[in-house]
Amino acid sequence: MSSNSESQKSTGLHIGVAAPGVKKVDPILVIDSVKKSFGGLTAVDVEHLEIPRGAITALIGPNGAGKTTLFNLLTGFDNPDTGAWSFEGKQLAGISSFKVAKMGQVRTFQLTKALSLLTVLENMKLGAKNQTGEKLLNSLFPFLWRKQDNELEVKAMELLRRFKLDAKKDDFAASLSGGQRKLLEMARALMTDPVLVMLDEPMAGVNPALTQSLLEHVLNLKKEGMTVLFVEHDMHMVRHIADWVVVMAEGKVVAEGAPDTVMKEQAVIDAYLGAHQDTDLGVVTGRIKVISEEGK
Amino acid sequence: MQFLSASNPKRLLSSLLLLLIAMVLGFGLGATPASADSVGEDLERGITGNVKLEGEPLGGVRMIVEGGGYNAETVTGADGKWYIGVPGVEGDTYKVTLDQETLPEGIAVTGEGGATKDVVLGKTSPLVANFFIGEGTRVTVSMFDQVVARLIYGLNFGLMLGLAAVGLSLVFGTTGLSNFAHSEMVTFGAVAALVLGAGLQLPMWVAIPAAVLLSGAMGWALDAGLWKPLRKRGLALVQLMIVSIGLSLTARYLFQYFVGGGTEQLPGADSTMVPLFGSVALSMTDLVSMAISIVVIMGFAWWLLKTKTGKATRAISDNPDLAAASGIDVDKVIRTVWIISGALAGLAGVLWAYFRPGIKWDMGAQILLLIFAAVTLGGLGTAFGALIGSLVVGILVETSSLFIPADLKYVGALVVLIGILLFRPQGLLGKKQRIG
Amino acid sequence: MDWGSILNNTLAGLLTPTILAFALATLGLAMHFGFAGLLNFGIAGFMAVGAYGYAISVLTFGLPWWAGMIMGVAASVVFALIMGIPTLRLRGDYLAIVTIAAAEILRLLFLTTAFEPVTGSADGLFGYNNSGGFADANPFPPGDYGWGPWTYNEQTLWMLVFGLMVLAVATLLLWALMRSPWGRVVKGIREDEDAVRALGKNVFAYKMQALIIGGIFGALGGIVLATSTNVSPGVYVTSLTFFLWTALLLGGAATIFGPVLGSIIFWVLQAFLTNILPALAESGILPVSGIQAATLRYVLVGIGLMLIVIYRPQGIFGDKREMTFVK
Ligand SMILES: Nc1ncnc2c1ncn2[C@@H]1O[C@H](COP(=O)(O)OP(=O)(O)OP(=O)(O)O)[C@@H](O)[C@H]1O
Ligand SMILES: [Mg+2]
């Protein structure tokens, strides 16, 4: 891929040796002994983890490693058995999911949640925060919210163009294809102007050409100061845009580091392949096309 | 400017509870007894009486009438008279009770049969039901005995509900359908037994099993003729639920069309009282009914836990996609579930007909909410949860009438349903769903 | 057979206080189910709260009619809060069961003899329109108004005008709400509440607001009904809820005028069947007894409900694409 994007990589994010739980220079999210089990199965068991601010962090790991569950816990969609975590210094344990999102920590879902019977444009507008017209009493008086609504429309259309969905703006989201819904969900999350955006397999099912342009967009967002945490199985993409990689397996963080180094670590290769194999993980997994559950 | 800030739901909740209690108390204070000597005058028939002590009218005596799922009570006027309207028709049985607690000190019902008597509506209305009262000691039943008796009735009722509830729960677990027409399957069983037993004059030991078989066949027919085609059409769950409401209305009024609006009795009731414990006695019919319920439920549990189809049923309830992928014939299992659900509901209907007593076109609908409450309490879609839920609801309904007016006894169960959902939203045995 | 009177009765059924009351309640259901996706099976309970709230306020507490009506509406807000707090966080089917149970609890509480002095028990309540001054507030001088089947005396006219005004305001309100950003959030919640939550909206509060607003419409329906007949517990039964659902689905759940038109069609059809079926039975065209003919009407309602939901789930006036049942 282009050297241009390589040059955009942030470095010097951590303090000391890159190992699971390493301290970051400027962490935005700090996680401490978060544990969650379903019956006998421990889905997540994270001792300590810091996510660096202003950087793109990839969360990788084999299927069932607990990535989605960790996302659910961090965003208040599920409650951990124990543990605490803070976002920009504010404790988040026990805070309900919508408040977490209001603070600027916004997520997308692995199983896409397009709002089927709203149009694409309505889906987008719904994303924006602090809308006057969303309050019950104000909603009855259009002159209070009409102007803001029009501004949102302009912003939404810009994003839709970027995501190649502008032609579909008046269609019901139900009529979109699986990949388009994934895109819509990501664009909708960006409408909230998040501080930290957490994307659960954002590119699964999206065609490679569009992926490229969206990655550029994500890199731009980083430039504007947004922090990105994403789950992805495509190692090419991880290599391409991630500044930092966190590897999970069986609920635990087994490795952390810069993308190039971490994928060569034995623990990571073990986690993915289950045996001692002398290969670079990127070589193995980058070729595997991930077919995720779509069409829900 | 949102109505509610969820920031302190606890405080909001407690203030609401306070408000609710205040409202209920407010009602309670307003309700001064001894003001109404007649209720239900707009009903066509009624039961009346005159409470006199040595020729002098006695006011303020509480009278209770129960039967056919109907409850009402009133208090005698200063002239000693009382009147309670009843919805039944000729031939219906009602239980009339004089509350001896409301008689003056040292006075009791002295006549044969004590303070409760069964009356049968005749051609003329109102029917007169009088009690002989005079000086004497009340044959009071100790609180303990009352509680035990109520527990046993509750167990009986709960087991009966359980028969209906497990079927509803299985259908929900395997297909996701909240079947509002389940109550009509209950009625169907009772009506089938009536047609076979009273219409065709078959002996009841033939008629009842045949009615249960017919109910099973009905379950099969509904699946084959309606639910399976609708599933194949890809109807959403809410849509299916509303279809079941339509079916329920259709079936219920068809019963009324054929059976009429009155109450019919199933032949073969045996009201010989069998003493059990202290003053607690149960009729032969109740005992047999309980035994049947227990045996059938044990058989059902064995089926669910040990047979291949039973295991497949639980697998589908757990995870339908996985079950289908692992080679289970989902359609076949669902068909079996419908047959079993129909048969169990039919049996519940027959037993309910003896318990109420009587068969009426809307008898199933009368307990539908209790069945739903039981299923919800247990956790939607878990068969054993439904069973436990049924026992809780049954016992609650019967024992609550010790503390609250008899015509509010279903209210207690429904309030508990809502209460439990507050603290354990997934029900007693249910589990949480996966998000994301 | 007297076709003239059958036609006359049916046409008269087009505009009655009862139809206006049911249209209001159906509008409430549209807010709940059509727009917010809340499976409320207790709308009859909301109507009962409105009607009893009004009647009890006037009869027991001696309030004037307008204050009584406000009390009826306030009571429905309390009812919505009590019902919503435990259930709005749960899955939709739980809400269905809890609302149906709550409405039934309420009906049994109104029916029980324990509170007879206040609720009138099985006899219900009456006389509040006179003692509360609603009848006296009638601006129309005595006389006959209208023509043909739509001839009313001044009292019925007052009830109709009152009901129409309430219905018009409610319809307007629903329209204004649903085209606003607030309506967008509510519709989003209908589609997928987790997605809306992930965008930082307080889903619980929105659902509660929707439940309250729809509940108020239901209560207004009860109040309008109470202006024209007695308040009787036998009216607010589960079957009424099911009939209102049928009317809603007939018109189109996620539309503004669908619920109103659906109610009119449903109850006019009912009036027609009530008149024609016994007449057909009497004249021997239908080989059934008169009572059976009346029963047949409800059998047809049930079949009709099934057919609409299966073959035209978006209702008569709904957008074909906008099926309300995607979940
Ligand atoms: N609600 C639940 N109930 C029971 N088990 C669950 C639940 N949610 C997750 N699990 C289990 O927890 C483990 C972690 O699941 P999770 O979805 O977090 O994995 P993941 O890393 O996101 O996998 P993938 O890459 O396939 O998306 C899995 O074994 C899964 O089966
Ligand atoms: Mg995942």
Side-chain angles (χ1 to χ4, degrees):
Chain A
M1 318 256 168
S2 61
S3 57
N4 151 41
S5 58
E6 294 296 333
S7 66
Q8 293 175 355
K9 291 257 158 144
S10 314
T11 48
L13 297 166
H14 61 291
I15 305 167
V17 190
V22 65
K23 285 233 174 319
K24 304 290 161 14
V25 178
D26 183 14
I28 188 167
L29 196 60
V30 181
I31 302 159
D32 272 306
S33 46
V34 167
K35 219 172 163 170
K36 173 81 188 178
S37 39
F38 296 108
L41 174 107
T42 307
V44 169
D45 182 5
V46 174
E47 275 296 315
H48 185 82
L49 179 64
E50 298 183 1
I51 306 295
R53 184 193 305 276
I56 299 178
T57 305
L59 179 61
I60 66 171
N63 294 122
K67 306 178 295 289
T68 301
T69 308
L70 181 62
F71 264 37
N72 285 346
L73 297 175
L74 294 182
T75 50
F77 278 89
D78 205 345
N79 294 316
D81 306 334
T82 60
W85 63 101
S86 63
F87 170 68
E88 292 196 309
K90 290 184 284 275
Q91 282 299 322
L92 282 193
I95 303 276
S96 51
S97 49
F98 81 93
K99 282 190 193 149
V100 173
K102 251 186 179 163
M103 289 179 190
Q105 183 186 332
V106 175
R107 69 164 310 176
T108 65
F109 294 89
Q110 180 172 5
L111 298 172
T112 11
K113 294 184 182 295
L115 305 170
S116 312
L117 296 185
L118 262 55
T119 65
V120 169
L121 188 59
E122 280 177 321
N123 260 278
M124 293 295 287
K125 283 181 173 177
L126 184 62
K129 283 199 285 197
N130 301 325
Q131 296 189 46
T132 329
E134 286 186 352
K135 302 223 165 84
L136 183 60
L137 290 180
N138 296 347
S139 71
L140 293 174
F141 307 104
F143 60 87
L144 290 176
W145 48 262
R146 183 70 77 204
K147 185 160 155 280
Q148 188 189 26
D149 209 50
N150 291 339
E151 287 163 10
L152 287 178
E153 192 157 333
V154 173
K155 180 175 165 190
M157 285 313 295
E158 257 166 46
L159 267 171
L160 283 178
R161 261 190 292 284
R162 178 56 100 151
F163 283 77
K164 299 267 182 303
L165 287 172
D166 47 339
K168 299 250 170 210
K169 73 180 174 73
D170 292 323
D171 291 9
F172 280 127
S175 69
L176 297 184
S177 76
Q180 285 171 328
R181 284 185 214 188
K182 225 70 266 176
L183 292 173
L184 175 61
E185 198 184 352
M186 183 168 161
R188 195 175 62 199
L190 294 179
M191 278 295 286
T192 63
D193 295 325
V195 181
L196 164 65
V197 64
M198 300 171 61
L199 308 169
D200 200 345
E201 304 197 10
M203 295 305 159
V206 174
N207 89 58
L210 190 52
T211 308
Q212 194 63 40
S213 110
L214 290 178
L215 293 186
E216 299 296 329
H217 186 66
V218 171
L219 288 172
N220 281 339
L221 292 173
K222 182 178 94 173
K223 251 191 239 155
E224 288 161 20
M226 199 163 86
T227 308
V228 181
L229 174 63
F230 72 104
V231 173
E232 189 51 72
H233 284 292
D234 180 347
M235 294 305 152
H236 278 317
M237 179 174 159
V238 173
R239 277 232 165 112
H240 182 47
I241 63 164
D243 304 313
W244 192 257
V245 178
V246 176
V247 189
M248 277 183 82
E250 291 171 5
K252 291 193 164 58
V253 176
V254 293
E256 269 193 71
D260 288 323
T261 50
V262 82
M263 282 183 210
K264 296 196 183 85
E265 273 188 41
Q266 194 61 47
V268 179
I269 298 167
D270 285 357
Y272 267 90
L273 304 174
H276 288 261
Q277 295 201 21
D278 197 15
T279 22
D280 180 331
L281 193 62
V283 177
V284 182
T285 52
R287 294 208 188 103
I288 301 170
K289 262 272 151 278
V290 181
I291 301 155
S292 77
E293 307 102 298
E294 284 297 345
K296 263 264 164 174
Chain B
M1 225 163 288
Q2 285 152 349
F3 277 10
L4 276 182
S5 89
S7 58
N8 56 12
K10 291 249 167 64
R11 220 176 70 199
L12 185 69
L13 196 69
S14 51
S15 46
L16 272 173
L17 276 180
L18 260 178
L19 192 65
L20 183 65
I21 291 168
M23 274 170 60
V24 171
L25 285 182
F27 267 128
L29 291 179
T32 42
S35 59
D37 55 351
S38 72
V39 291
E41 281 139 272
D42 54 340
L43 293 166
E44 220 164 275
R45 287 163 180 277
I47 301 172
T48 186
N50 199 348
V51 180
K52 278 189 183 155
L53 180 60
E54 289 157 5
E56 289 298 310
L58 212 52
V61 179
R62 181 162 162 255
M63 303 298 307
I64 304 143
V65 166
E66 301 172 82
Y70 173 82
N71 294 292
E73 58 177 74
T74 188
V75 175
T76 58
D79 55 359
K81 291 208 173 103
W82 60 275
Y83 175 91
I84 296 179
V86 292
V89 295
E90 191 184 332
D92 287 2
T93 310
Y94 284 92
K95 194 154 80 180
V96 182
T97 307
L98 184 152
D99 184 359
Q100 299 192 74
E101 297 289 321
T102 54
L103 291 176
E105 201 63 40
I107 303 300
V109 174
T110 51
E112 184 83 6
T116 299
K117 60 167 73 176
D118 285 337
V119 296
V120 181
L121 294 189
K123 282 214 179 339
T124 53
S125 179
L127 181 79
V128 180
N130 279 332
F131 292 88
F132 292 99
I133 54 179
E135 273 174 54
T137 43
R138 287 168 208 164
V139 195
T140 45
V141 180
S142 75
M143 188 63 189
F144 183 70
D145 281 8
Q146 282 188 45
V147 171
V148 172
R150 286 290 161 185
L151 279 177
I152 294 175
Y153 291 149
L155 191 65
N156 190 7
F157 187 42
L159 286 167
M160 205 155 50
L161 282 179
L163 285 175
V166 288
L168 184 69
S169 168
L170 274 190
V171 167
F172 180 86
T174 48
T175 66
L177 168 69
S178 306
N179 182 19
F180 278 80
H182 198 69
S183 50
E184 276 53 54
M185 306 244 269
V186 171
T187 317
F188 179 81
V191 170
L194 180 73
V195 170
L196 295 172
L200 300 181
Q201 301 284 327
L202 294 179
M204 280 329 270
W205 61 267
V206 179
I208 293 178
V212 172
L213 285 181
L214 273 179
S215 305
M218 190 63 173
W220 172 82
L222 282 175
D223 183 49
L226 183 68
W227 300 117
K228 189 173 163 205
L230 291 185
R231 276 201 304 280
K232 297 284 175 259
R233 262 180 86 99
L235 257 69
L237 290 179
V238 174
Q239 236 169 326
L240 289 176
M241 176 161 123
I242 298 171
V243 171
S244 83
I245 291 176
L247 179 65
S248 159
L249 286 177
T250 310
R252 200 184 312 163
Y253 285 100
L254 276 177
F255 290 136
Q256 192 188 21
Y257 184 91
F258 288 114
V259 186
T263 306
E264 307 280 338
Q265 293 300 332
L266 270 186
D270 181 353
S271 53
T272 325
M273 295 308 267
V274 181
L276 288 182
F277 169 93
S279 63
V280 181
L282 220 55
S283 77
M284 204 57 208
T285 313
D286 283 340
L287 279 177
V288 172
S289 157
M290 259 166 102
I292 292 177
S293 303
I294 290 173
V295 169
V296 171
I297 286 174
M298 297 219 308
F300 168 78
W302 176 82
W303 173 81
L304 196 63
L305 293 174
K306 297 287 184 224
T307 65
K308 210 169 136 232
T309 329
K311 285 179 187 164
T313 308
R314 284 185 297 146
I316 294 175
S317 301
D318 247 19
N319 187 337
D321 300 332
L322 188 66
S326 57
I328 293 176
D329 181 350
V330 177
D331 271 335
K332 188 178 140 216
V333 172
I334 290 179
R335 195 183 323 136
T336 316
V337 162
W338 271 105
I339 294 173
I340 290 181
S341 164
L344 291 181
L347 178 60
V350 174
L351 300 183
W352 173 227
Y354 281 118
F355 188 83
R356 286 177 76 235
I359 289 175
K360 205 165 168 236
W361 60 284
D362 67 346
M363 61 184 281
Q366 286 173 1
I367 50 167
L368 179 66
L369 271 188
L370 294 184
I371 301 175
F372 265 115
V375 171
T376 315
L377 267 188
L380 291 180
T382 60
F384 291 118
L387 195 58
I388 294 175
S390 302
L391 293 178
V392 172
V393 169
I395 289 173
L396 208 79
V397 164
E398 288 298 329
T399 49
S400 69
S401 52
L402 289 174
F403 315 105
I404 56 177
D407 56 1
L408 286 181
K409 67 180 183 183
Y410 287 179
V411 169
L414 299 179
V415 168
V416 167
L417 163 74
I418 296 178
I420 288 192
L421 288 180
L422 253 178
F423 300 106
R424 225 188 126 72
Q426 69 273 40
L428 295 173
L429 292 190
K431 44 180 193 190
K432 289 191 180 158
Q433 274 184 309
R434 188 194 155 96
I435 314 156
Chain C
M1 252 171 39
D2 183 0
W3 281 106
S5 86
I6 290 174
L7 192 69
N8 199 56
N9 286 342
T10 305
L11 288 179
L14 264 174
L15 184 62
T16 61
T18 315
I19 279 210
L20 297 175
F22 289 151
L24 268 165
T26 313
L27 212 58
L29 264 190
M31 172 81 256
H32 286 156
F33 174 67
F35 293 115
L38 301 173
L39 281 174
N40 173 20
F41 279 106
I43 191 72
F46 280 102
M47 291 184 75
V49 168
Y52 273 97
Y54 164 46
I56 290 176
S57 301
V58 170
L59 292 176
T60 305
F61 300 105
L63 296 185
W65 65 277
W66 50 270
M69 288 179 182
I70 292 173
M71 286 303 287
V73 169
S76 75
V77 174
V78 174
F79 184 53
L81 286 171
I82 291 174
M83 209 151 67
I85 287 171
T87 52
L88 287 181
R89 271 167 299 178
L90 308 182
R91 240 164 48 193
D93 29 10
Y94 281 100
L95 182 68
I97 291 164
V98 168
T99 46
I100 202 172
E104 196 62 9
I105 290 176
L106 213 60
R107 189 180 66 85
L108 290 171
L109 285 177
F110 288 134
L111 186 61
T112 176
T113 44
F115 307 134
E116 151 119 35
V118 179
T119 60
S121 186
D123 301 336
L125 297 169
F126 36 83
Y128 45 84
N129 282 325
N130 287 324
S131 62
F134 177 79
D136 288 338
N138 188 354
F140 301 105
D144 278 344
Y145 298 85
W147 55 272
W150 301 286
T151 311
Y152 310 106
N153 63 18
E154 77 285 353
Q155 277 165 13
T156 314
L157 184 70
W158 170 219
M159 290 166 200
L160 282 174
V161 169
F162 178 77
L164 272 174
M165 285 193 307
V166 176
L167 181 61
V169 170
T171 311
L172 194 72
L173 197 70
L174 187 64
W175 170 79
L177 282 173
M178 292 327 295
R179 60 142 191 187
S180 75
W182 184 88
R184 194 158 60 212
V185 179
V186 165
K187 281 192 253 179
I189 292 170
R190 173 187 75 193
E191 300 303 312
D192 192 323
E193 57 178 74
D194 278 334
V196 177
R197 216 171 258 137
L199 296 170
K201 319 282 178 199
N202 187 350
V203 168
F204 181 75
Y206 280 102
K207 285 211 249 181
M208 186 59 97
Q209 290 167 359
L211 187 68
I212 289 174
I213 293 170
I216 289 177
F217 290 175
L220 288 172
I223 291 171
V224 168
L225 192 63
T227 59
S228 68
T229 57
N230 294 345
V231 175
S232 149
V235 172
Y236 305 100
V237 290
T238 314
S239 303
L240 175 61
T241 295
F242 293 159
F243 293 161
L244 292 166
W245 269 84
T246 310
L248 174 76
L249 296 169
L250 188 67
T255 59
I256 305 286
F257 290 108
V260 176
L261 296 174
S263 303
I264 295 176
I265 296 174
F266 180 79
W267 270 281
V268 167
L269 216 59
Q270 288 274 308
F272 177 66
L273 290 175
T274 313
N275 280 296
I276 193 144
L277 288 175
L280 285 176
E282 229 165 77
S283 59
I285 300 174
L286 268 183
V288 297
S289 74
I291 298 174
Q292 284 181 322
T295 312
L296 217 48
R297 171 164 69 114
Y298 295 110
V299 176
L300 292 177
V301 170
I303 294 174
L305 178 59
M306 286 197 277
L307 292 179
I308 305 168
V309 178
I310 296 172
Y311 293 106
R312 206 174 158 83
Q314 75 275 25
I316 297 176
F317 302 99
D319 182 336
K320 179 104 179 73
R321 293 174 307 165
E322 192 165 1
M323 303 227 320
T324 13
F325 297 104
V326 275
K327 266 177 269 178

